[in-house]
Amino acid sequence: MNIKKNIEDFLTDEEFVRWVKSPDPELDVFWLKWLQLYPEKREMLIKAREIILSMNFKTHHINEEVQEKSLNFILSKTSSVSSMDKIEEFSKSFIFLRVAAILVMLLTTTYFVNNYMSSFEKKSKQKVVSNIVKENPNGRKSKIQLPDGTTVWLNAGSTLTYPSKFTVKERVVNLDGQAFFDVVKDTLRPFRVNSSGLITTALGTSFDIDAYSIQNDEIKVSLVSGKISIENKSLKTKNTTLPGEQLVYSIKKQKSKITSFDLKEVVAWKDQILYFKNASLPEVVTRLERWYGVEIHLTNKPVKKWNLTGEFKKQKLERVLERLSFTENFEYKINRKTIEFKF
């Protein structure tokens, strides 16, 4: 593992270029180990990686004028001298031309790299990184593509804040509410979600975070695929979850536990399915208000406790209320965005 003194050393390393263009597990291990040995070269490596990914190398041919001059130079050396003198003279000329050609190639390569690096640095400086805020009011859901290609499904009543361009060291976003993340793998830049002080870190995986911090005391992180680590900044505790596991964190108690979870119950919302499982009346009301962007008022209390299980795929509010009123025995009245329940 040789030390790279500058970016040009990376750009001329065949193994490095091959790793960037066609990564595989073996090369991943090699370069991650290299970074462990030379952590101070991390930023230089990432810049070289960005250069290779953002450009197409073209083969440069020798100018016809240069070819003609080279040929005339050789021909001008032929005269009426003896055959041995001609051979000796030709050999010297040939060596001279080889040296000249190497110098031209080195100068051209140096000019090309320096010129590209200069323009690359100028473009980097010109790009001002700003925060982008995606806010969904109640009744609206959205699908977002982050700068690195990661896909995020943002639920209603949720806000996602992220930079217009991620740094060379990490990818950090802030979430208030609920979102499902399908993270693009990048072994050099971990993906982190900050949700009310709970930090979820992933490389390439998919998971759901339910952090409606105002309404709920709990934050739920459910891992669908891959591997994530979850930590709390204030306590500096760290947990690792596996696919099918859910971490439930209490904001007030600042304690966490890991349990299993129902995949459909957790991620059905991103497929436009309103899903209830053993839901109480307050939970149903909160979900309906958030899902349809309405306000629900109870004119009186129900006779019995609700324990509702059911699903509604892409159903209008009227259809959902019609079905709920039949099964739970209540009347409802719709007045634009306000709904009254009477038991």
Side-chain angles (χ1 to χ4, degrees), residues 251-283:
I251 300 174
K252 291 180 181 179
K253 297 178 181 178
Q254 293 195 337
K255 290 183 179 180
S256 61
K257 61 180 179 180
I258 295 177
T259 63
S260 58
F261 69 95
D262 183 337
L263 180 63
K264 189 172 185 178
E265 184 181 6
V266 170
V267 303
W269 67 267
K270 82 179 185 67
D271 297 320
Q272 303 298 314
I273 299 174
L274 179 58
Y275 183 76
F276 297 105
K277 184 177 180 181
N278 303 323
S280 64
L281 175 58
E283 184 181 350

Side-chain angles (χ1 to χ4, degrees), residues 11 16-23 45-57 116 120 148 184-186 188-189:
L11 297 178
F16 178 76
V17 174
R18 183 165 69 88
W19 173 58
V20 173
K21 290 184 175 181
S22 304
L45 180 146
I46 293 174
K47 282 187 178 180
R49 181 171 176 262
E50 289 181 354
I51 291 174
I52 294 171
L53 291 174
S54 63
M55 64 186 292
N56 293 318
F57 289 96
Y116 184 84
F120 177 78
D148 65 330
V184 169
K185 184 179 180 181
D186 188 338
L188 299 179
R189 296 187 300 172

